[in-house]
Amino acid sequence: MSRTELKTVLSPDELPRNYYNILHDLPEPLPPPLDPGTLKPMSPEPLLRLFARECVMQEVSTQEFIPIPEEVREAYLRLGRPTPLYRARRLEEKLQTPAKIFFKREDLNPAGSHKPNTAIPQAYYHRKEGTARLTTETGAGQWGTALALASALFDIDLTVYMTRSSYEQKPYRRTLMEVYGAEVFASPSRRTKAGSKFLDKDPSHPGSLGIAISEAIEDCVTHDDTKYSLGSVLNHVLTHQSVVGQEAKVQMQQFDADPDYIVGCIGGGSNFAGLSYPFMRDKLRGKSGAQFVAAEPKAVPSTTKGSYRYDFADTGETTPLLKMFTVGHAYQCPPIHAGGLRYHGKAPSMCMLIDKGYMRSVAYSQNEVMEAGLTFAQTEGIVAAPESNHAVKATIDLALECKRKGEAKTILFNLSGHGLLDLKAYEDKLGGRLVDYEPDQAALSASMSAVPRVG
Amino acid sequence: MSRTELKTVLSPDELPRNYYNILHDLPEPLPPPLDPGTLKPMSPEPLLRLFARECVMQEVSTQEFIPIPEEVREAYLRLGRPTPLYRARRLEEKLQTPAKIFFKREDLNPAGSHKPNTAIPQAYYHRKEGTARLTTETGAGQWGTALALASALFDIDLTVYMTRSSYEQKPYRRTLMEVYGAEVFASPSRRTKAGSKFLDKDPSHPGSLGIAISEAIEDCVTHDDTKYSLGSVLNHVLTHQSVVGQEAKVQMQQFDADPDYIVGCIGGGSNFAGLSYPFMRDKLRGKSGAQFVAAEPKAVPSTTKGSYRYDFADTGETTPLLKMFTVGHAYQCPPIHAGGLRYHGKAPSMCMLIDKGYMRSVAYSQNEVMEAGLTFAQTEGIVAAPESNHAVKATIDLALECKRKGEAKTILFNLSGHGLLDLKAYEDKLGGRLVDYEPDQAALSASMSAVPRVG
């Protein structure tokens, strides 16, 4: 085996120069966000109070390519882009599969996940537009960490509202954000009316991502110099992530390989959109027969057991309604270790692609995915995030299917993050203490009953 | 600024093909290890029971270059070699220094430190020579993690004796080793006579690296199929680390820069030897005027307050005597967060170079180094290991000296590991809870009194 069969590394000048925006190529226009009061399409103007103007423009743009600013490209280089693409030879050998398995390394930056791909441009645009301070929410902490890092690089103050249960269970995630200079509060907090309301009811309220969003937005709109930043679901976020797939396309060509399967895990959908949309572009143009496989947890089965309809993007019912696969914004996401996949809905563009059959999805229990993670660590040497292990599990299943059928297919998956701050999940798996969750029909019906009835 | 001014990335075929062995170029032969009973030079034969034959041959070799086996090069590629070399532009700007600062990224592999550079060849040689099982000790866990990873890649069973205090305080380091398939025991344990002796005296004995070494060696010599592996100090270990400096030399040329200062932290000495020896080769041949600066903790001041004389390599007095800078093998290393620097001696070859003035050393308190770590994280975006922050601190001091003198010198340091499993150190620093330690003369005299009198 020659060494170049193991990985490809792009040079700094091969970093993409444009973001790819899939709204240019969707089979039909994306259903617009609706005002929850009037159920009429919303204009983007109210978003300008929260987001960077450039991000709002990108959110509604159908322009195919959006130039990446030079300052953003420089920050990407500093944080490890372009990232390598590996062939998982030892995993293939372990599985005795004729399939070729490749994976993109989005775990190699200091924040440890794909999240800086959008945190960097968001911080940059805010800085350029004069924002002095940002607020955001974080659950497991990956997004908060990435935005703290990006804010440090662009000298913006950052306040993070972190779900109290995570704040207490994952003190080192909090420390990491503080190392980058961010101010981190357990949510619900006494700093906002929204938070106080929940604390009045329950002084030891564990919090939720929905409450943290409400607090971050209230903090933003009540401070003149402050704006807000979001880490997934929205179009502009997915567009920023397209650097992943653009690099991967070049790298797969260097391997002289063309993926038959493109695989990723989905929470909001941004890491898988990042890898897959540049390949999906070919499929939407009839130039590719690749299959796209999105893996989600059985505990939060948005696309496998949910419905494709309008729902709130947050638990607190403060956002516009988005057309997406959802298990209902009132769904109580079980405490699985893959915290980044604990979201009731999914990105609207990805949901349309799933609904129209361009992409399919599978669901796994956390024991299954952590078992796959152990196999991956012991063969490829890399300890993946519990979220990413959903993609590893789906990949292993496809490779074993290839083995049964004797098909030498090519599989590409996104290694969206490392698991060094999630070793509790591995400890619980090794100790046989990992609990699986799966909602029954009654639980799903209950949470779906709170979804607004539209049209 | 052009992008290539930020970092250089080598292609897979630029991975070094040979190790560089500084014993070929030392100003005089290294003083031989002595038998502690007879005080006569020891032959290498007894080492064959413990170490891989190839490692023992390398230990006493004065051959300049030792070929790197193709299987080892492949494993290096899998684990991220060649590693990038970065310019710390934002740190330079923050310090407003005319100095140029560069750093080598040894934090980017799955074990998170430079340790796999020697764990990989050691596991490979053992595998090739038919070893089925290895034992080793680990304190903070970096070495145990690296050898667990390497053992997984070469399908060798591994038993790790981990200092009980670390075992209990750093459960995730233990989990990480277990994820790679290693068996990990708190030391002292009931598995060995050595361990039992200490447990009999104190059932809750916190352990020490010296006791863990004794247990790992006893486990090895009492099991026929078992050998042993060590992660620093020895010549062959330092030789393996030379891949770091060989890559860095090529990369500095790509930057069109020649380092005036080469900086690293020292515990046993292997990471700094790895970066510096390929540059030292030029200095020893009169072809370079570069200065070499080794940074150690004030809490364990081997080279700044210790003596250059023969001492045991372990606390338990079971090893040969090595000529080195030591604060005495009985020295009680204070519980600083930089666990990898808690070693009473230093590598013999490095000690000779310090003694003869080819290299100098500095010492810092842990508050100083963690402050430097915060500055580095907020400018360059990378959270370094507490050990590596000693190198960061020495670099910052040199850069500020350049500022005072108006000298545009070039500084290169080794970023030997990341700090994602050491966030407690950052938490303590941010919370103002970090305690500084420094032995007084009485403490040093006491520990030195146990050092054997030789010659």
Side-chain angles (χ1 to χ4, degrees):
Chain A
M1 170 171 66
S2 95
R3 293 178 312 283
T4 49
E5 288 179 30
L6 202 60
K7 67 177 173 184
T8 69
V9 181
L10 299 177
S11 69
D13 58 10
E14 290 175 287
L15 181 70
R17 296 185 181 275
N18 293 285
Y19 294 121
Y20 166 63
N21 176 12
I22 201 159
L23 266 58
H24 179 269
D25 289 295
L26 287 179
E28 56 189 53
L30 207 57
L34 300 184
D35 183 305
T38 65
L39 299 186
K40 290 199 173 145
M42 282 188 68
S43 82
E45 272 70 32
L47 297 178
L48 292 170
R49 177 60 192 91
L50 297 176
F51 297 100
R53 170 173 294 273
E54 178 62 28
C55 291
V56 175
M57 296 301 107
Q58 292 176 10
E59 187 63 22
V60 295
S61 171
T62 55
Q63 189 181 316
E64 184 175 13
F65 294 109
I66 294 167
I68 305 176
E70 207 47 43
E71 294 86 344
V72 171
R73 295 184 77 237
E74 187 187 313
Y76 280 156
L77 290 171
R78 196 184 299 281
L79 300 186
R81 301 217 74 85
T83 63
L85 190 142
Y86 276 56
R87 180 157 172 198
R89 286 228 171 231
R90 294 193 81 240
L91 179 60
E92 292 170 16
E93 285 160 22
K94 169 88 174 177
L95 301 175
Q96 297 186 299
T97 176
K100 291 181 185 175
I101 302 174
F102 296 87
F103 58 103
K104 181 68 169 161
R105 299 287 305 269
E106 291 302 304
D107 58 315
L108 285 172
N109 65 71
S113 80
H114 64 291
K115 292 289 188 188
N117 295 332
T118 184
I120 292 290
Q122 289 196 49
Y124 166 75
Y125 293 130
H126 275 298
R127 180 75 197 166
K128 197 178 163 202
E129 294 171 16
T131 301
R133 177 171 173 264
L134 282 173
T135 66
T136 199
E137 68 287 330
T138 200
Q142 297 272 17
W143 168 243
T145 302
L147 193 61
L149 168 58
S151 298
L153 294 182
F154 289 104
D155 300 309
I156 300 178
D157 292 339
L158 173 67
T159 299
V160 181
Y161 291 87
M162 185 178 192
T163 311
R164 182 178 298 275
S165 55
S166 292
Y167 184 92
E168 285 166 0
Q169 287 163 25
K170 302 193 173 199
Y172 295 142
R173 270 282 175 205
R174 167 170 42 104
T175 300
L176 189 50
M177 292 183 261
E178 288 171 348
V179 164
Y180 288 132
E183 175 182 56
V184 186
F185 296 101
S187 168
S189 77
R190 286 278 170 207
R191 292 173 50 88
T192 65
K193 287 180 187 168
S196 294
K197 199 174 71 180
F198 287 98
L199 284 179
D200 286 344
K201 285 188 220 160
D202 177 2
S204 60
H205 196 295
S208 74
L209 202 58
I211 295 171
I213 292 175
S214 303
E215 288 203 84
I217 290 178
E218 182 182 327
D219 183 333
C220 168
V221 299
T222 55
H223 292 89
D224 278 347
D225 61 346
T226 300
K227 293 217 165 181
Y228 171 78
S229 203
L230 195 82
S232 190
V233 178
L234 298 179
N235 298 328
H236 68 276
V237 174
L238 275 58
T239 294
H240 298 158
Q241 293 290 351
S242 68
V243 289
V244 179
Q246 291 183 70
E247 289 177 9
K249 280 194 81 168
V250 174
Q251 290 170 307
M252 289 302 284
Q253 283 163 10
Q254 290 178 346
F255 271 115
D256 205 12
D258 194 19
D260 299 298
Y261 297 103
I262 296 161
V263 180
C265 65
I266 52 171
S270 75
N271 95 74
F272 187 44
L275 176 68
S276 67
Y277 281 6
F279 292 93
M280 181 62 80
R281 177 172 179 266
D282 296 337
K283 180 156 179 157
L284 291 169
R285 293 168 183 213
K287 293 180 185 169
S288 162
Q291 295 187 43
F292 295 77
V293 181
E296 66 184 13
K298 280 188 177 173
V300 190
S302 310
T303 68
T304 48
K305 292 197 173 174
S307 305
Y308 183 52
R309 52 189 282 194
Y310 271 101
D311 194 7
F312 288 100
D314 72 331
T315 314
E317 305 189 349
T318 65
T319 69
L321 302 178
L322 300 178
K323 182 88 178 272
M324 59 184 176
F325 276 97
T326 178
V327 283
H329 65 275
Y331 181 72
Q332 296 283 328
C333 294
I336 55 172
H337 283 287
L341 307 188
R342 295 176 70 231
Y343 183 65
H344 66 279
K346 299 288 171 274
S349 61
M350 184 171 283
C351 292
M352 174 189 276
L353 292 167
I354 292 174
D355 184 60
K356 293 196 174 296
Y358 289 94
M359 197 177 260
R360 64 187 165 91
S361 55
V362 289
Y364 296 110
S365 73
Q366 66 176 346
N367 268 295
E368 289 175 305
V369 302
M370 293 308 295
E371 186 66 39
L374 287 173
T375 301
F376 187 66
Q378 289 167 14
T379 50
E380 295 301 319
I382 299 164
V383 175
E387 291 85 351
S388 313
N389 282 336
H390 288 73
V392 174
K393 170 62 178 163
T395 296
I396 289 176
D397 278 5
L398 289 168
L400 292 176
E401 187 185 301
C402 288
K403 183 181 178 180
R404 281 192 301 275
K405 295 185 178 173
E407 292 178 341
K409 300 279 192 183
T410 297
I411 308 170
L412 167 65
F413 77 88
N414 200 17
L415 185 68
S416 57
H418 67 63
L420 292 180
L421 293 173
D422 304 284
L423 286 167
K424 183 74 164 61
Y426 284 91
E427 190 185 42
D428 286 353
K429 174 64 188 170
L430 290 168
R433 290 185 299 273
L434 214 49
V435 179
D436 285 333
Y437 305 89
E438 200 174 342
D440 59 18
Q441 201 49 54
L444 286 173
S445 298
S447 66
M448 289 303 291
S449 70
V451 177
R453 300 186 175 278
V454 177
Chain B
M1 172 169 68
S2 97
R3 291 178 313 284
T4 50
E5 288 180 31
L6 202 59
K7 67 176 173 185
T8 69
V9 181
L10 298 177
S11 70
D13 58 11
E14 289 175 288
L15 182 69
R17 297 186 180 274
N18 294 284
Y19 293 122
Y20 166 64
N21 176 12
I22 200 158
L23 265 58
H24 179 270
D25 289 294
L26 286 180
E28 58 189 52
L30 208 57
L34 301 184
D35 183 306
T38 64
L39 298 187
K40 290 199 172 145
M42 283 187 69
S43 82
E45 272 70 33
L47 298 178
L48 291 171
R49 177 60 191 89
L50 297 176
F51 297 100
R53 172 173 292 273
E54 177 63 27
C55 291
V56 175
M57 296 300 106
Q58 292 176 9
E59 186 63 21
V60 294
S61 170
T62 54
Q63 189 180 318
E64 184 175 12
F65 293 109
I66 294 168
I68 305 177
E70 207 47 45
E71 294 87 343
V72 171
R73 296 184 77 237
E74 187 187 313
Y76 281 156
L77 289 171
R78 197 185 298 283
L79 299 186
R81 300 217 73 84
T83 63
L85 190 142
Y86 276 56
R87 179 157 173 199
R89 285 229 172 230
R90 294 193 82 240
L91 178 60
E92 292 170 16
E93 285 161 20
K94 169 87 175 178
L95 301 174
Q96 297 186 300
T97 177
K100 292 180 184 176
I101 302 174
F102 298 87
F103 58 103
K104 181 70 168 159
R105 299 289 304 269
E106 291 303 304
D107 59 313
L108 284 172
N109 65 71
S113 79
H114 63 290
K115 294 288 189 189
N117 295 332
T118 185
I120 291 291
Q122 290 197 50
Y124 166 75
Y125 293 130
H126 275 298
R127 180 74 196 168
K128 197 179 163 201
E129 295 171 16
T131 302
R133 177 170 173 264
L134 282 173
T135 66
T136 198
E137 68 288 331
T138 200
Q142 297 273 17
W143 167 244
T145 302
L147 193 61
L149 168 58
S151 298
L153 293 183
F154 290 103
D155 299 310
I156 300 178
D157 291 339
L158 173 66
T159 299
V160 181
Y161 292 88
M162 185 177 191
T163 312
R164 183 177 298 275
S165 55
S166 292
Y167 185 91
E168 286 167 359
Q169 286 163 23
K170 301 192 172 199
Y172 295 142
R173 270 281 174 205
R174 165 169 44 104
T175 301
L176 189 48
M177 292 184 261
E178 290 171 348
V179 165
Y180 288 133
E183 177 182 56
V184 186
F185 296 102
S187 169
S189 77
R190 286 278 171 205
R191 292 171 51 88
T192 66
K193 289 181 187 167
S196 293
K197 199 175 70 178
F198 286 100
L199 284 180
D200 287 344
K201 285 188 222 162
D202 177 1
S204 60
H205 196 296
S208 74
L209 202 57
I211 296 171
I213 291 176
S214 304
E215 290 203 82
I217 289 178
E218 181 182 328
D219 184 332
C220 168
V221 298
T222 54
H223 292 88
D224 279 346
D225 62 345
T226 300
K227 294 217 165 180
Y228 170 77
S229 203
L230 195 82
S232 191
V233 178
L234 298 179
N235 298 328
H236 69 275
V237 175
L238 274 58
T239 295
H240 298 158
Q241 292 290 351
S242 69
V243 290
V244 179
Q246 291 183 71
E247 289 177 10
K249 280 193 81 168
V250 174
Q251 291 169 307
M252 289 302 284
Q253 282 163 9
Q254 289 178 348
F255 270 115
D256 206 10
D258 193 18
D260 298 298
Y261 296 103
I262 296 162
V263 181
C265 64
I266 52 171
S270 75
N271 96 73
F272 187 44
L275 176 68
S276 67
Y277 281 6
F279 292 94
M280 181 63 80
R281 177 172 179 266
D282 296 337
K283 180 155 179 158
L284 290 169
R285 294 170 182 212
K287 292 181 185 167
S288 162
Q291 295 187 44
F292 296 76
V293 182
E296 66 185 12
K298 280 189 176 172
V300 190
S302 311
T303 68
T304 47
K305 292 197 173 174
S307 304
Y308 183 52
R309 53 190 282 193
Y310 272 102
D311 194 8
F312 287 101
D314 71 331
T315 314
E317 304 189 350
T318 65
T319 69
L321 302 177
L322 300 178
K323 182 88 179 272
M324 59 184 176
F325 277 97
T326 177
V327 284
H329 64 276
Y331 181 72
Q332 297 284 329
C333 294
I336 54 171
H337 283 287
L341 308 188
R342 295 176 70 232
Y343 183 65
H344 65 278
K346 299 289 171 273
S349 61
M350 185 171 283
C351 291
M352 174 189 277
L353 292 168
I354 292 173
D355 184 59
K356 293 198 174 294
Y358 288 94
M359 198 176 259
R360 62 186 165 93
S361 54
V362 290
Y364 296 110
S365 73
Q366 65 175 346
N367 267 296
E368 288 175 307
V369 302
M370 293 308 295
E371 186 66 38
L374 287 173
T375 300
F376 188 67
Q378 289 167 12
T379 51
E380 296 300 320
I382 299 164
V383 175
E387 292 86 350
S388 313
N389 283 336
H390 288 73
V392 174
K393 171 61 178 165
T395 296
I396 289 176
D397 277 4
L398 289 168
L400 291 176
E401 186 185 302
C402 288
K403 182 180 176 180
R404 280 192 301 275
K405 295 184 178 172
E407 291 178 341
K409 300 278 192 183
T410 297
I411 308 169
L412 168 65
F413 77 90
N414 200 16
L415 185 69
S416 56
H418 67 62
L420 292 180
L421 293 173
D422 304 284
L423 286 167
K424 181 73 164 64
Y426 284 91
E427 189 185 42
D428 286 352
K429 175 64 188 170
L430 290 168
R433 291 184 298 275
L434 215 48
V435 178
D436 285 332
Y437 306 90
E438 201 172 342
D440 58 18
Q441 201 48 53
L444 285 172
S445 299
S447 66
M448 290 303 291
S449 68
V451 176
R453 300 191 175 275
V454 177

